[in-house]
Amino acid sequence: MERIQRTAVAERLARDHGGVVHRKNLRAHGVSRFDVRSEILAGRWARWGIHTVRILAVTAEPVAHHWRAVWESGPRAVLDGPAALVAQGMKGFEPSTIDISLPRSASVRQLEGVTTHQRRQLERLIAAGVPRIAPEWATIHAAEWAVTDRQAALLICLPVQQRLVPPQRLLTVWRTVARSRRREVLDHIIADVCDGAHSLGELEFATWCRRYRLPVPSRQSVKTGPSGRVYLDVEWKGLVVEIDGGHHLLGLNPTDDALRANELVLGTSRVLRIPLLGLRLEPGRFMDQVARGLRLSPAEAA
């Protein structure tokens, strides 16, 4: 193929893949391996592995690394975990590695910056764009592979809050998982994030109060505000604690919560807000704040 023609073909293919192209795709469009070698020797293209060619005239995008990881790791390789969620559109988390899942029968090639997982069964796949595990399963895998429980909680929260995975679908899939090294932690976190409206946060908070030798508060007390009745999660005289489950982040709930808290502060009560996930991950620090709040009189707090 003439150089001008093969350049046009390669650049068009590379723009669809963030600046890289698979050798098989080049061959399918008439670019031979001799053409590829000539372009690499001329410094216009670069070898990025056995299958991946970098077209230097096309600006490289982050997704190029995802394509390379899938193409180079082995047959039937797909993105998984945080990498699959990023490819799905997740913001706010930068994976330190690209997680790739393959069937157990596949021959695996190790790549720098890539972590491979050979698995008995690959769950539902997304074929559009970079091949990847569906977001509900990728979310669970990301939480399982997280370095800490705190990171696991973040990787559950982000896809749900950014509406990459419906909460009910994540709950349904989680109930089918037979084994998990983080079973207890993820049971709580997934329920808190996906089913917060039915959370037992207030009851559990009373348990934390007893553990830290604090007086047990009233639960679900009722106040009258400008918009009618206001139901408070837990209350002592002069101090209110609101336990925020995952449902507090949805729709107009943050606005309603802010209005309610502001009315209480403008009255005679101080308000502490505790995310239910925070109570899971940092109970000591939040309960210390509650203890300090109870030691302050309203006049001292002002």
Side-chain angles (χ1 to χ4, degrees):
M1 182 178 290
E2 294 293 330
R3 187 172 74 81
I4 293 177
Q5 186 181 0
R6 69 183 178 232
T7 297
V9 168
E11 291 182 3
R12 176 172 55 82
L13 294 173
R15 279 191 288 270
D16 291 337
H17 300 86
V20 294
V21 63
H22 197 294
R23 287 175 180 263
K24 179 176 63 177
N25 289 346
L26 289 171
R27 288 196 301 272
H29 286 79
V31 181
S32 71
R33 61 190 179 95
F34 302 106
D35 294 331
V36 173
R37 184 173 62 182
S38 297
E39 293 295 328
I40 290 173
L41 290 174
R44 291 182 289 267
W45 299 355
R47 183 182 291 108
W48 264 27
I50 297 175
H51 304 293
T52 309
V53 177
R54 169 81 177 92
I55 309 302
L56 300 179
V58 178
T59 302
E61 299 175 8
V63 71
H65 296 279
H66 288 165
W67 281 110
R68 173 181 177 269
V70 167
W71 290 339
E72 298 293 333
S73 293
R76 295 179 61 195
V78 294
L79 293 179
D80 204 343
L85 294 173
V86 169
Q88 191 72 21
M90 185 177 75
K91 309 295 183 185
F93 184 81
E94 289 291 336
S96 59
T97 185
I98 298 175
D99 286 290
I100 292 288
S101 283
L102 308 94
R104 284 190 176 177
S105 59
S107 299
V108 179
R109 290 186 293 274
Q110 299 299 328
L111 299 173
E112 184 177 356
V114 174
T115 300
T116 55
H117 308 267
Q118 287 188 278
R119 308 193 32 244
R120 181 178 304 170
Q121 180 180 359
L122 299 182
E123 294 86 1
R124 187 171 74 91
L125 303 180
I126 303 293
V130 188
R132 58 195 183 277
I133 294 290
E136 61 270 22
W137 284 105
T139 299
I140 290 172
H141 298 162
E144 292 277 9
W145 301 334
V147 177
T148 64
D149 290 346
R150 188 182 185 90
Q151 187 181 87
L154 175 64
L155 289 167
I156 294 293
C157 286
L158 290 177
V160 174
Q161 291 171 359
Q162 296 174 20
R163 301 185 180 185
L164 302 179
V165 54
Q168 192 56 48
R169 182 179 296 173
L170 183 59
L171 269 174
T172 300
V173 166
W174 173 243
R175 290 173 183 142
T176 69
V177 175
R179 291 185 298 176
S180 169
R181 67 186 185 93
R182 280 198 165 104
R183 169 65 63 183
E184 184 175 358
V185 171
L186 293 185
D187 271 343
H188 288 306
I189 291 174
I190 292 175
D192 292 344
V193 172
C194 297
D195 197 26
H198 300 94
S199 170
L200 297 179
E202 296 88 350
L203 297 177
E204 294 181 12
F205 186 75
T207 302
W208 285 111
C209 288
R210 288 190 291 270
R211 184 175 301 177
Y212 283 85
R213 298 184 179 181
L214 299 178
V216 176
S218 300
R219 294 201 303 271
Q220 288 292 339
S221 60
V222 182
K223 301 286 185 183
T224 301
S227 301
R229 289 184 175 183
V230 175
Y231 294 87
L232 307 178
D233 290 342
V234 293
E235 181 186 25
W236 295 269
K237 185 177 180 179
L239 178 67
V240 171
V241 174
E242 292 285 72
I243 311 297
D244 294 341
H247 64 295
H248 285 267
L249 301 174
L250 302 176
L252 297 178
N253 288 344
T255 299
D256 297 336
D257 291 341
L259 288 170
R260 180 172 63 174
N262 291 347
E263 287 294 337
L264 292 169
V265 171
L266 291 171
T268 60
S269 296
R270 302 181 305 280
V271 179
L272 294 177
R273 303 202 73 90
I274 302 180
L276 189 48
L277 281 179
L279 197 58
R280 304 281 188 208
L281 302 172
E282 299 281 359
R285 295 175 66 182
F286 279 111
M287 296 309 295
D288 177 68
Q289 290 180 338
V290 174
R292 285 154 51 200
L294 286 173
R295 288 196 295 267
L296 292 175
S297 68
E300 290 172 326

